[in-house]
Amino acid sequence: SGVMDRVIVECDAKGKAQRVSIIDYKTDDVSSDEALAEKVAGYKPQLELYREAATKLTGVPLARVSSTLVFTRLAKLQVV
């Protein structure tokens, strides 16, 4: 469970949703690339649920729903 921090829905000229980008901000203190990989793996199920929810809410196929983690303390983006 959780709350999607940011959802961007891109629509065509007729207003139909075509693509969705989910951005989730994390403030974890991560000290190494290995620790970052572990955190990303741990958050992956959460992001998959968010992607599935976005598909149900917008009708956009799962293949066109992306998710990204932003680790604010590291200033790093991780596509999940």
Side-chain angles (χ1 to χ4, degrees):
S1 70
V3 176
M4 292 183 252
D5 292 329
R6 172 83 47 177
V7 179
I8 302 165
V9 180
E10 298 175 43
C11 298
D12 63 16
K14 295 181 181 178
K16 183 176 178 187
Q18 297 296 309
R19 184 171 298 282
V20 178
S21 300
I22 299 166
I23 302 170
D24 204 47
Y25 298 95
K26 301 298 182 191
T27 58
D28 302 58
D29 191 13
V30 182
S31 58
S32 68
D33 287 340
E34 183 178 286
L36 178 61
E38 288 175 15
K39 289 289 185 181
V40 170
Y43 286 123
K44 188 171 183 172
Q46 177 185 6
L47 273 289
E48 287 302 316
L49 287 173
Y50 288 175
R51 291 179 66 230
E52 290 170 14
T55 293
K56 289 179 183 176
L57 291 168
T58 64
V60 172
L62 193 60
R64 289 190 280 158
V65 178
S66 66
S67 59
T68 302
L69 290 170
V70 177
F71 288 89
T72 58
R73 292 184 186 205
L74 296 175
K76 281 195 174 187
L77 301 174
Q78 294 291 314
V79 177
V80 179

Coordinates of all heavy atoms in Angstrom, one line a residue:
S1 N 0.8 -1.2 0.0 CA 0.0 0.0 0.0 C 0.9 1.2 0.0 O 2.0 1.2 0.3 CB -0.9 0.0 1.2 OG -0.2 0.2 2.4
G2 N 0.3 2.3 -0.3 CA 1.1 3.6 -0.4 C 0.4 4.6 -1.2 O -0.8 4.4 -1.7
V3 N 1.1 5.7 -1.5 CA 0.5 6.8 -2.3 C 1.5 7.1 -3.4 O 2.7 7.2 -3.1 CB 0.3 8.0 -1.4 CG1 -0.1 9.2 -2.2 CG2 -0.7 7.7 -0.3
M4 N 1.0 7.2 -4.6 CA 1.9 7.6 -5.7 C 2.2 9.0 -5.5 O 1.3 9.9 -5.4 CB 1.2 7.3 -7.0 CG 1.0 5.9 -7.3 SD 0.2 5.6 -9.0 CE -1.4 5.2 -8.5
D5 N 3.5 9.4 -5.5 CA 3.9 10.7 -5.2 C 3.6 11.6 -6.4 O 3.2 12.8 -6.3 CB 5.4 10.8 -4.9 CG 5.7 10.2 -3.6 OD1 4.9 10.2 -2.7 OD2 6.8 9.6 -3.5
R6 N 3.9 11.1 -7.6 CA 3.7 11.9 -8.8 C 3.3 11.0 -10.0 O 3.9 10.0 -10.2 CB 4.9 12.7 -9.2 CG 5.0 13.4 -10.5 CD 4.4 14.8 -10.5 NE 4.8 15.5 -9.3 CZ 4.5 16.8 -9.1 NH1 3.7 17.4 -10.0 NH2 4.9 17.4 -8.1
V7 N 2.2 11.4 -10.7 CA 1.7 10.6 -11.8 C 1.5 11.6 -13.0 O 0.8 12.6 -12.8 CB 0.4 9.9 -11.5 CG1 -0.1 9.1 -12.8 CG2 0.5 9.0 -10.4
I8 N 2.2 11.3 -14.1 CA 2.1 12.2 -15.3 C 1.4 11.4 -16.3 O 1.9 10.3 -16.7 CB 3.5 12.6 -15.7 CG1 4.2 13.4 -14.6 CG2 3.4 13.5 -17.0 CD1 5.7 13.5 -14.9
V9 N 0.2 11.9 -16.8 CA -0.5 11.2 -17.8 C -0.4 12.0 -19.1 O -0.8 13.2 -19.1 CB -2.0 11.1 -17.4 CG1 -2.8 10.3 -18.6 CG2 -2.1 10.3 -16.1
E10 N 0.2 11.4 -20.1 CA 0.3 12.1 -21.4 C -0.9 11.7 -22.3 O -1.1 10.5 -22.5 CB 1.6 11.7 -22.1 CG 2.8 12.1 -21.3 CD 4.1 11.5 -21.9 OE1 4.3 11.6 -23.2 OE2 4.9 11.0 -21.2
C11 N -1.6 12.6 -22.9 CA -2.8 12.4 -23.7 C -2.5 12.8 -25.1 O -1.7 13.7 -25.4 CB -3.9 13.2 -23.1 SG -4.4 12.7 -21.4
D12 N -3.3 12.2 -26.0 CA -3.3 12.6 -27.4 C -4.1 13.9 -27.6 O -4.7 14.4 -26.6 CB -3.7 11.4 -28.3 CG -5.2 11.0 -28.1 OD1 -6.0 11.8 -27.5 OD2 -5.5 9.9 -28.6
A13 N -4.3 14.3 -28.8 CA -5.0 15.6 -29.1 C -6.4 15.5 -28.7 O -7.1 16.5 -28.5 CB -4.8 15.9 -30.6
K14 N -7.0 14.3 -28.7 CA -8.4 14.1 -28.3 C -8.6 13.9 -26.8 O -9.7 13.7 -26.3 CB -9.0 12.9 -29.0 CG -9.0 13.1 -30.5 CD -9.6 11.9 -31.2 CE -9.6 12.1 -32.7 NZ -10.2 11.0 -33.4
G15 N -7.5 14.0 -26.0 CA -7.6 13.8 -24.6 C -7.5 12.4 -24.1 O -7.7 12.2 -22.9
K16 N -7.3 11.4 -24.9 CA -7.2 10.1 -24.5 C -5.8 9.8 -24.0 O -4.8 10.1 -24.6 CB -7.5 9.1 -25.7 CG -7.5 7.7 -25.3 CD -7.9 6.7 -26.4 CE -7.8 5.3 -25.9 NZ -8.0 4.3 -26.9
A17 N -5.7 9.1 -22.8 CA -4.4 8.8 -22.2 C -3.6 7.8 -23.1 O -4.2 6.9 -23.5 CB -4.7 8.2 -20.8
Q18 N -2.4 8.2 -23.3 CA -1.5 7.4 -24.1 C -0.3 6.8 -23.4 O 0.2 5.7 -23.8 CB -1.0 8.2 -25.3 CG -2.0 8.7 -26.2 CD -2.7 7.6 -26.9 OE1 -2.1 6.8 -27.5 NE2 -4.1 7.6 -26.8
R19 N 0.2 7.4 -22.4 CA 1.3 7.0 -21.6 C 1.2 7.6 -20.2 O 0.7 8.7 -20.0 CB 2.6 7.6 -22.3 CG 3.9 7.1 -21.7 CD 5.1 7.5 -22.6 NE 5.0 6.9 -23.9 CZ 5.4 5.6 -24.2 NH1 5.8 4.8 -23.3 NH2 5.3 5.2 -25.4
V20 N 1.8 6.8 -19.3 CA 1.7 7.2 -17.9 C 3.2 7.0 -17.3 O 3.8 6.0 -17.5 CB 0.8 6.4 -17.0 CG1 0.8 6.8 -15.6 CG2 -0.7 6.5 -17.6
S21 N 3.6 8.1 -16.6 CA 4.9 8.0 -15.9 C 4.6 8.2 -14.4 O 4.0 9.1 -14.0 CB 5.8 9.1 -16.3 OG 6.1 9.0 -17.7
I22 N 5.1 7.2 -13.6 CA 4.9 7.3 -12.1 C 6.3 7.6 -11.5 O 7.3 7.0 -11.8 CB 4.4 5.9 -11.6 CG1 3.1 5.6 -12.2 CG2 4.4 6.0 -10.1 CD1 2.6 4.2 -12.0
I23 N 6.3 8.6 -10.6 CA 7.6 9.0 -10.0 C 7.3 8.8 -8.5 O 6.3 9.4 -7.9 CB 8.0 10.4 -10.3 CG1 8.2 10.5 -11.8 CG2 9.3 10.8 -9.6 CD1 8.3 11.9 -12.3
D24 N 8.2 8.1 -7.8 CA 8.1 7.9 -6.3 C 9.4 8.4 -5.7 O 10.5 8.0 -6.1 CB 7.8 6.5 -6.0 CG 7.1 6.3 -4.7 OD1 6.1 7.0 -4.4 OD2 7.6 5.4 -3.9
Y25 N 9.2 9.3 -4.8 CA 10.4 9.9 -4.1 C 10.7 9.1 -2.8 O 9.8 8.8 -2.1 CB 10.1 11.4 -3.7 CG 9.9 12.2 -4.9 CD1 8.6 12.5 -5.4 CD2 10.9 12.7 -5.7 CE1 8.3 13.2 -6.5 CE2 10.7 13.5 -6.8 CZ 9.4 13.8 -7.2 OH 9.2 14.5 -8.3
K26 N 12.0 8.9 -2.6 CA 12.5 8.1 -1.4 C 13.6 8.9 -0.8 O 14.5 9.5 -1.4 CB 13.0 6.7 -1.8 CG 12.0 5.8 -2.5 CD 10.8 5.5 -1.6 CE 9.8 4.6 -2.3 NZ 8.6 4.5 -1.6
T27 N 13.6 8.9 0.5 CA 14.6 9.7 1.3 C 15.5 8.7 2.0 O 16.3 9.2 2.9 CB 13.9 10.6 2.3 OG1 13.1 9.8 3.2 CG2 13.0 11.6 1.7
D28 N 15.6 7.5 1.6 CA 16.5 6.5 2.3 C 17.9 7.0 2.2 O 18.4 7.6 1.2 CB 16.4 5.2 1.5 CG 15.0 4.6 1.5 OD1 14.1 5.3 1.0 OD2 14.8 3.5 2.0
D29 N 18.6 6.7 3.3 CA 20.1 7.0 3.3 C 20.8 5.7 2.8 O 20.8 4.7 3.4 CB 20.5 7.2 4.8 CG 21.9 7.8 4.8 OD1 22.5 8.2 3.8 OD2 22.5 7.8 5.9
V30 N 21.3 5.8 1.5 CA 21.9 4.7 0.9 C 23.4 5.0 0.7 O 23.7 6.1 0.1 CB 21.2 4.5 -0.5 CG1 21.8 3.3 -1.2 CG2 19.7 4.3 -0.3
S31 N 24.2 4.1 1.2 CA 25.7 4.5 1.2 C 26.5 3.8 0.1 O 27.7 4.2 -0.1 CB 26.2 4.0 2.6 OG 26.0 2.6 2.7
S32 N 25.9 2.9 -0.7 CA 26.7 2.3 -1.7 C 25.8 1.8 -2.9 O 24.6 1.8 -2.7 CB 27.4 1.0 -1.2 OG 26.5 0.0 -0.9
D33 N 26.4 1.5 -4.0 CA 25.6 1.0 -5.2 C 24.9 -0.3 -4.8 O 23.8 -0.5 -5.3 CB 26.5 0.9 -6.4 CG 26.9 2.2 -7.0 OD1 26.3 3.2 -6.7 OD2 27.9 2.2 -7.7
E34 N 25.6 -1.1 -4.0 CA 25.0 -2.4 -3.6 C 23.7 -2.1 -2.8 O 22.7 -2.7 -3.0 CB 26.0 -3.2 -2.9 CG 25.4 -4.6 -2.5 CD 26.5 -5.4 -1.8 OE1 27.4 -5.9 -2.5 OE2 26.4 -5.6 -0.6
A35 N 23.8 -1.2 -1.8 CA 22.7 -0.9 -1.0 C 21.6 -0.3 -1.8 O 20.4 -0.5 -1.5 CB 23.1 0.1 0.1
L36 N 21.9 0.5 -2.8 CA 20.9 1.1 -3.7 C 20.2 0.1 -4.4 O 19.0 0.1 -4.5 CB 21.6 2.1 -4.6 CG 20.7 2.8 -5.7 CD1 19.6 3.6 -5.0 CD2 21.5 3.7 -6.6
A37 N 20.9 -0.9 -5.0 CA 20.3 -2.0 -5.7 C 19.3 -2.8 -4.8 O 18.2 -3.2 -5.3 CB 21.4 -2.9 -6.3
E38 N 19.7 -3.0 -3.6 CA 18.8 -3.7 -2.6 C 17.6 -2.9 -2.4 O 16.5 -3.4 -2.3 CB 19.6 -3.9 -1.3 CG 20.6 -5.0 -1.4 CD 21.4 -5.2 -0.1 OE1 21.0 -4.7 1.0 OE2 22.5 -5.8 -0.2
K39 N 17.7 -1.6 -2.2 CA 16.5 -0.7 -2.0 C 15.6 -0.7 -3.2 O 14.4 -0.9 -3.0 CB 17.0 0.7 -1.7 CG 17.6 0.9 -0.4 CD 16.6 0.8 0.7 CE 17.2 1.1 2.1 NZ 16.2 1.0 3.2
V40 N 16.2 -0.7 -4.4 CA 15.4 -0.7 -5.6 C 14.6 -2.0 -5.7 O 13.4 -2.0 -6.0 CB 16.3 -0.5 -6.8 CG1 15.5 -0.7 -8.1 CG2 16.8 1.0 -6.9
A41 N 15.3 -3.1 -5.4 CA 14.6 -4.4 -5.4 C 13.5 -4.5 -4.4 O 12.4 -5.1 -4.7 CB 15.7 -5.5 -5.2
G42 N 13.7 -3.9 -3.3 CA 12.7 -3.9 -2.2 C 11.5 -3.1 -2.6 O 10.4 -3.4 -2.2
Y43 N 11.7 -2.0 -3.3 CA 10.6 -1.1 -3.7 C 9.9 -1.6 -5.0 O 8.8 -1.1 -5.3 CB 11.0 0.3 -3.9 CG 11.3 1.0 -2.6 CD1 12.6 1.6 -2.4 CD2 10.3 1.2 -1.7 CE1 12.8 2.3 -1.2 CE2 10.6 1.8 -0.5 CZ 11.8 2.4 -0.2 OH 12.1 3.0 0.9
K44 N 10.5 -2.5 -5.7 CA 9.9 -3.0 -7.0 C 8.5 -3.5 -6.9 O 7.6 -3.1 -7.7 CB 10.8 -4.0 -7.6 CG 10.4 -4.4 -9.0 CD 11.4 -5.2 -9.8 CE 10.9 -5.5 -11.2 NZ 11.9 -6.1 -12.0
P45 N 8.1 -4.3 -5.9 CA 6.7 -4.7 -5.8 C 5.7 -3.6 -5.6 O 4.6 -3.6 -6.2 CB 6.7 -5.6 -4.6 CG 8.1 -6.1 -4.5 CD 9.0 -5.0 -4.9
Q46 N 6.1 -2.6 -4.9 CA 5.3 -1.4 -4.7 C 5.1 -0.7 -6.0 O 3.9 -0.3 -6.3 CB 6.0 -0.4 -3.7 CG 5.2 0.9 -3.4 CD 6.0 1.8 -2.5 OE1 7.1 1.6 -2.1 NE2 5.3 2.9 -2.2
L47 N 6.1 -0.5 -6.7 CA 6.0 0.2 -8.0 C 5.2 -0.6 -9.0 O 4.5 0.0 -9.8 CB 7.4 0.5 -8.6 CG 8.0 1.8 -8.1 CD1 7.4 3.0 -8.7 CD2 8.2 2.0 -6.7
E48 N 5.3 -1.9 -9.0 CA 4.5 -2.8 -9.9 C 3.0 -2.6 -9.5 O 2.2 -2.5 -10.4 CB 4.9 -4.2 -9.8 CG 6.2 -4.5 -10.4 CD 6.3 -4.1 -11.9 OE1 5.3 -4.4 -12.6 OE2 7.3 -3.5 -12.3
L49 N 2.7 -2.5 -8.3 CA 1.3 -2.3 -7.9 C 0.8 -0.9 -8.4 O -0.3 -0.8 -8.8 CB 1.1 -2.3 -6.4 CG 1.2 -3.7 -5.7 CD1 1.2 -3.7 -4.2 CD2 0.0 -4.6 -6.2
Y50 N 1.6 0.1 -8.3 CA 1.3 1.4 -8.8 C 1.1 1.4 -10.3 O 0.1 2.0 -10.8 CB 2.4 2.4 -8.5 CG 2.6 2.8 -7.0 CD1 3.6 3.7 -6.7 CD2 1.7 2.4 -6.0 CE1 3.8 4.1 -5.3 CE2 1.9 2.8 -4.7 CZ 2.9 3.6 -4.4 OH 3.1 4.0 -3.1
R51 N 1.9 0.7 -11.0 CA 1.8 0.6 -12.5 C 0.4 -0.1 -12.8 O -0.3 0.3 -13.7 CB 2.9 -0.2 -13.1 CG 4.2 0.6 -13.0 CD 5.4 -0.2 -13.6 NE 5.2 -0.4 -15.1 CZ 5.2 -1.6 -15.7 NH1 5.6 -2.7 -15.1 NH2 5.0 -1.6 -17.0
E52 N 0.1 -1.2 -12.1 CA -1.2 -1.9 -12.3 C -2.4 -1.0 -12.0 O -3.3 -1.0 -12.8 CB -1.2 -3.2 -11.5 CG -0.3 -4.2 -12.0 CD -0.2 -5.4 -11.0 OE1 -1.0 -5.5 -10.1 OE2 0.8 -6.2 -11.2
A53 N -2.3 -0.2 -11.0 CA -3.3 0.7 -10.6 C -3.5 1.8 -11.7 O -4.6 2.1 -12.1 CB -3.1 1.4 -9.2
A54 N -2.4 2.3 -12.2 CA -2.4 3.3 -13.2 C -3.1 2.8 -14.5 O -3.9 3.5 -15.1 CB -1.0 3.9 -13.5
T55 N -2.8 1.5 -14.8 CA -3.4 0.9 -16.0 C -4.9 0.8 -15.8 O -5.7 1.2 -16.7 CB -2.8 -0.5 -16.2 OG1 -1.5 -0.4 -16.5 CG2 -3.5 -1.3 -17.3
K56 N -5.4 0.4 -14.6 CA -6.8 0.3 -14.4 C -7.5 1.7 -14.4 O -8.6 1.8 -14.8 CB -7.0 -0.4 -13.0 CG -6.7 -1.9 -13.1 CD -6.9 -2.5 -11.7 CE -6.5 -4.0 -11.8 NZ -6.7 -4.7 -10.5
L57 N -6.8 2.7 -13.8 CA -7.4 4.0 -13.8 C -7.4 4.7 -15.1 O -8.4 5.5 -15.3 CB -6.6 4.8 -12.7 CG -6.8 4.4 -11.3 CD1 -5.8 5.1 -10.4 CD2 -8.2 4.7 -10.8
T58 N -6.5 4.5 -15.9 CA -6.4 5.3 -17.2 C -6.7 4.5 -18.4 O -6.9 5.1 -19.5 CB -4.9 5.8 -17.4 OG1 -4.0 4.7 -17.5 CG2 -4.5 6.7 -16.2
G59 N -6.6 3.2 -18.4 CA -6.8 2.3 -19.6 C -5.6 2.2 -20.4 O -5.6 1.6 -21.5
V60 N -4.5 2.8 -20.0 CA -3.2 2.7 -20.7 C -2.6 1.3 -20.5 O -2.5 0.9 -19.3 CB -2.2 3.8 -20.3 CG1 -0.9 3.6 -20.9 CG2 -2.8 5.2 -20.6
P61 N -2.2 0.6 -21.5 CA -1.6 -0.7 -21.3 C -0.4 -0.6 -20.4 O 0.4 0.4 -20.5 CB -1.2 -1.1 -22.8 CG -2.0 -0.3 -23.7 CD -2.3 1.0 -22.9
L62 N -0.1 -1.7 -19.7 CA 1.0 -1.8 -18.7 C 2.3 -1.5 -19.4 O 3.2 -0.8 -18.8 CB 1.0 -3.1 -18.1 CG 1.9 -3.3 -16.8 CD1 1.5 -2.3 -15.7 CD2 1.8 -4.7 -16.3
A63 N 2.5 -1.9 -20.6 CA 3.7 -1.7 -21.4 C 4.0 -0.2 -21.6 O 5.2 0.2 -21.8 CB 3.7 -2.4 -22.7
R64 N 3.0 0.7 -21.5 CA 3.2 2.1 -21.6 C 3.1 2.9 -20.3 O 2.9 4.1 -20.3 CB 2.2 2.7 -22.7 CG 2.6 2.2 -24.1 CD 1.8 2.9 -25.1 NE 0.5 2.3 -25.2 CZ -0.6 2.9 -25.7 NH1 -0.5 4.1 -26.2 NH2 -1.7 2.2 -25.8
V65 N 3.3 2.2 -19.2 CA 3.3 2.8 -17.9 C 4.7 2.6 -17.3 O 5.1 1.4 -17.1 CB 2.2 2.2 -16.9 CG1 2.3 2.8 -15.6 CG2 0.8 2.3 -17.5
S66 N 5.4 3.7 -17.1 CA 6.8 3.6 -16.5 C 6.8 4.0 -15.1 O 5.9 4.7 -14.6 CB 7.7 4.4 -17.3 OG 7.4 5.8 -17.2
S67 N 7.8 3.5 -14.4 CA 7.9 3.9 -13.0 C 9.4 4.3 -12.7 O 10.3 3.6 -13.2 CB 7.4 2.8 -12.0 OG 8.1 1.6 -12.2
T68 N 9.6 5.3 -11.9 CA 10.9 5.8 -11.6 C 11.0 6.1 -10.1 O 10.1 6.7 -9.5 CB 11.3 7.0 -12.3 OG1 11.2 6.8 -13.7 CG2 12.7 7.5 -12.0
L69 N 12.0 5.6 -9.4 CA 12.3 6.0 -8.0 C 13.3 7.1 -8.1 O 14.3 7.1 -8.8 CB 12.9 4.8 -7.3 CG 12.0 3.6 -7.0 CD1 12.8 2.5 -6.5 CD2 11.0 4.0 -6.0
V70 N 13.1 8.1 -7.2 CA 14.0 9.2 -7.1 C 14.5 9.2 -5.6 O 13.8 9.4 -4.7 CB 13.3 10.6 -7.3 CG1 14.3 11.7 -7.1 CG2 12.8 10.7 -8.7
F71 N 15.8 8.9 -5.5 CA 16.4 8.9 -4.2 C 17.0 10.3 -3.9 O 18.0 10.7 -4.5 CB 17.5 7.8 -4.1 CG 17.0 6.4 -4.1 CD1 16.7 5.7 -5.2 CD2 16.7 5.8 -2.9 CE1 16.2 4.4 -5.2 CE2 16.1 4.5 -2.8 CZ 15.9 3.8 -4.0
T72 N 16.3 11.0 -3.1 CA 16.5 12.4 -2.9 C 17.9 12.7 -2.3 O 18.5 13.7 -2.6 CB 15.4 13.1 -2.1 OG1 15.3 12.5 -0.9 CG2 14.1 13.1 -2.9
R73 N 18.3 11.9 -1.3 CA 19.6 12.1 -0.7 C 20.8 11.9 -1.6 O 21.8 12.5 -1.4 CB 19.7 11.3 0.6 CG 18.8 11.7 1.7 CD 19.0 10.9 2.9 NE 17.9 11.2 3.9 CZ 18.1 11.1 5.1 NH1 19.2 10.6 5.7 NH2 17.1 11.4 5.9
L74 N 20.6 11.0 -2.6 CA 21.6 10.7 -3.5 C 21.5 11.5 -4.8 O 22.5 11.5 -5.6 CB 21.6 9.2 -3.9 CG 21.9 8.2 -2.8 CD1 21.7 6.8 -3.4 CD2 23.3 8.4 -2.3
A75 N 20.4 12.2 -5.0 CA 20.1 12.8 -6.3 C 20.2 11.8 -7.4 O 20.9 12.1 -8.4 CB 21.0 14.0 -6.5
K76 N 19.7 10.6 -7.3 CA 19.7 9.6 -8.3 C 18.3 9.1 -8.7 O 17.5 9.0 -7.8 CB 20.5 8.4 -7.8 CG 22.0 8.5 -7.8 CD 22.7 7.2 -7.6 CE 24.2 7.3 -7.8 NZ 24.8 6.0 -7.8
L77 N 18.2 8.9 -10.0 CA 17.0 8.3 -10.5 C 17.2 6.8 -10.8 O 18.3 6.5 -11.4 CB 16.6 9.0 -11.8 CG 16.3 10.5 -11.7 CD1 16.1 11.0 -13.2 CD2 15.2 10.8 -10.8
Q78 N 16.2 6.0 -10.5 CA 16.3 4.6 -10.9 C 15.0 4.2 -11.5 O 13.9 4.2 -10.9 CB 16.5 3.7 -9.6 CG 17.8 3.9 -8.9 CD 19.0 3.4 -9.8 OE1 18.9 2.3 -10.3 NE2 20.0 4.2 -9.9
V79 N 15.1 3.8 -12.8 CA 13.9 3.3 -13.5 C 13.6 1.9 -13.0 O 14.5 1.1 -13.0 CB 14.1 3.4 -15.0 CG1 12.9 2.8 -15.8 CG2 14.3 4.8 -15.5
V80 N 12.4 1.6 -12.7 CA 12.0 0.3 -12.1 C 11.1 -0.4 -13.1 O 10.2 0.2 -13.6 CB 11.3 0.5 -10.7 CG1 11.0 -0.9 -10.2 CG2 12.3 1.2 -9.8

